[in-house]
Amino acid sequence: MALIVIPGDTMVPLFIATPSRRRMTAALAAVLFAPAAFAEEIVFTDQGNREVRLAKAAERVVSIVIPMASTVIALDGGTRKLIGMNPTAKSAVVEGILGKIFPEAKDIPSDVTAPNFVPNVEALTAANPDLVIQWGDRGADIVAPITNAGLTTMLILYGTEERTREYMSMASKAIGKPERIGELVEWRDRVQKDIGAKVTAIPDDKKPNVLYLGRALSDISASGTKGNYNAWSIELAGGRNASAELNGTVSVNKEQIAAWNPDVIFLNAFEAKLNVDWVYNDPILSLTNAAKSKRVYKMPLGGYRWDPPSQESPLSWMWTANLLHPEIFKYDLRAEMKTAYKTLYNYDLTDGDIDNILWLKEQGAAADYAQFEAK
């Protein structure tokens, strides 16, 4: 007779007398002592100040939040755990480099939510996710349907680098990759400090007025400085937010842009058909300092769009710094991108990949953009 001790100090007698019984004993022991049997519960407080409990690392994740889909892919090293995402996130994947790195991502459903973050509860429950990631500061109406369906939900907040690092850390813990976040946060911290140290020596009168347009085609939108990640990254790189007077994100007209007369204009990467000619060919906008000096740039589209915070933000900061102060910042962006993509996605970027991410052809004769060409 043999004794097997089960957690909880229970001793189970097993009589081993025949090969058949020995095989049964081995099988039972394998089940009892399998790692999954001792998987630790994952518990943390999300950015909505709610307790999130997972019996084990989430294997099936839905990201209703747009940027988090690509972040989950980067943290996990693949698309296996991402079973649903926002349609706007999917368009970035399909149109951008992630569609090439992970071609299977095009088959991940995007019917779990509308682009405006209103969940499709029927599609969500059918997907049977272990974790749903949703915004925590855009009203209870987009959260209650998910929690009422009994689905475990992680709420995140947008707007600052601190929040970004925090929700990336929560996501890495939730999917069972807590070791992954350390090197990514260290990279963000190192680049932020390096840029910040150099910017302290730049006089205010040498900092260009920079306008970021979150929309431009069907409507034109700009944002104030408070809670605006784009304004924060512009200031980090040694610029001043030309639309700082605004309260939040609001619609503006071309006459207002002309009155601000920005030295640099950044166009969003969300509108695929938007390009720098939109400024250069416009009778009003073509009179701005930015247009006259050819300092109009479309934000790159990498693993995600470089406008909002993402796992690739340090690359966006370096791109911005090199353009705002090319005499001070001389990051070898192509080399930095190759290193980052190997770390984030285990992928070796080609020169053609980089040209496409940076919209090298679409930028036209933009000032100082030749620095990003392959040498």
Side-chain angles (χ1 to χ4, degrees):
M1 182 179 71
L3 293 176
I4 290 182
V5 180
I6 300 176
D9 297 325
T10 301
M11 291 185 293
V12 178
L14 294 175
F15 295 89
I16 305 172
T18 67
S20 176
R21 285 188 174 178
R22 283 195 292 272
R23 286 194 295 272
M24 290 173 62
T25 302
L28 179 57
V31 171
L32 291 174
F33 296 109
F38 302 105
E40 291 187 9
E41 184 181 35
I42 297 173
V43 183
F44 59 91
T45 300
D46 68 12
Q47 291 178 312
N49 200 31
R50 302 160 56 258
E51 184 178 77
V52 178
R53 285 183 173 272
L54 294 162
K56 59 184 181 63
E59 293 293 327
R60 300 175 62 79
V61 179
V62 168
S63 177
I64 292 178
V65 174
I66 297 172
M68 280 298 292
S70 61
T71 299
V72 170
I73 292 173
L75 291 172
D76 194 46
T79 61
R80 182 180 64 85
K81 292 190 175 186
L82 187 66
I83 62 165
M85 60 177 154
N86 192 294
T88 305
K90 187 167 184 175
S91 69
V93 170
V94 173
E95 296 166 11
I97 187 67
L98 282 193
K100 178 181 179 181
I101 301 173
F102 304 106
E104 69 278 6
K106 70 180 185 302
D107 298 320
I108 298 174
S110 59
D111 61 346
V112 291
T113 177
N116 62 358
F117 316 113
V118 175
N120 179 341
V121 176
E122 183 178 356
L124 264 180
T125 54
N128 190 31
D130 300 321
L131 181 69
V132 179
I133 304 174
Q134 177 63 295
W135 291 119
D137 57 354
R138 305 196 182 197
D141 289 348
I142 63 172
V143 177
I146 307 171
T147 56
N148 289 343
L151 300 176
T152 302
T153 310
M154 181 179 92
L155 302 184
I156 71 171
L157 302 177
Y158 173 84
T160 68
E161 174 62 13
E162 182 181 9
R163 286 176 173 177
T164 303
R165 296 186 188 191
E166 188 176 63
Y167 67 61
M168 286 179 64
S169 298
M170 288 191 305
S172 68
K173 184 176 183 178
I175 66 173
K177 295 292 182 73
E179 74 286 350
R180 182 81 165 120
I181 196 63
E183 62 181 329
L184 301 187
V185 169
E186 187 280 330
W187 177 46
R188 300 178 82 91
D189 196 51
R190 173 167 45 82
V191 175
Q192 180 183 346
K193 288 179 178 177
D194 186 66
I195 294 175
K198 292 181 174 67
V199 165
T200 57
I202 301 175
D204 284 344
D205 62 355
K206 298 297 183 182
K207 294 180 178 179
N209 287 316
V210 184
L211 179 64
Y212 167 76
L213 296 178
R215 294 191 306 273
L217 297 180
S218 60
D219 184 25
I220 304 174
S221 72
S223 302
T225 298
K226 185 177 180 181
N228 178 6
Y229 195 85
N230 301 102
W232 176 85
S233 60
I234 287 169
E235 292 175 359
L236 170 68
R240 291 180 293 182
N241 182 20
S243 57
E245 67 190 58
L246 299 180
N247 183 15
T249 299
V250 300
S251 296
V252 298
N253 55 38
K254 294 177 181 178
E255 287 75 16
Q256 176 62 76
I257 295 174
W260 285 327
N261 193 21
D263 302 307
V264 178
I265 295 176
F266 288 140
L267 302 176
N268 71 78
F270 287 87
E271 296 172 302
K273 295 181 180 180
L274 178 64
N275 59 57
V276 296
D277 288 339
W278 179 81
V279 174
Y280 295 136
N281 294 338
D282 186 87
I284 297 175
L285 301 181
S286 61
L287 301 178
T288 61
N289 287 341
K292 291 177 180 178
S293 60
K294 296 294 183 183
R295 300 186 78 184
V296 180
Y297 311 100
K298 183 177 175 70
M299 298 292 296
L301 168 58
Y304 189 63
R305 301 172 177 94
W306 282 12
D307 321 28
S310 76
Q311 65 279 3
E312 295 184 22
S313 292
L315 297 175
S316 180
W317 305 338
M318 289 185 274
W319 177 84
T320 303
N322 274 23
L323 289 173
L324 298 190
H325 296 283
E327 74 287 356
I328 296 175
F329 294 100
K330 301 184 182 298
Y331 290 111
D332 185 344
L333 190 64
R334 299 182 78 94
E336 296 281 356
M337 290 172 68
K338 289 180 179 181
T339 299
Y341 272 64
K342 190 66 176 177
T343 299
L344 291 169
Y345 314 113
N346 194 29
Y347 177 75
D348 295 312
L349 277 177
T350 67
D351 284 333
D353 291 332
I354 296 174
D355 290 350
N356 291 335
I357 290 169
L358 300 180
W359 308 107
L360 215 63
K361 292 180 180 178
E362 290 82 355
Q363 301 287 4
D368 300 307
Y369 219 76
Q371 67 178 297
F372 300 133
E373 295 175 357
K375 301 298 190 286

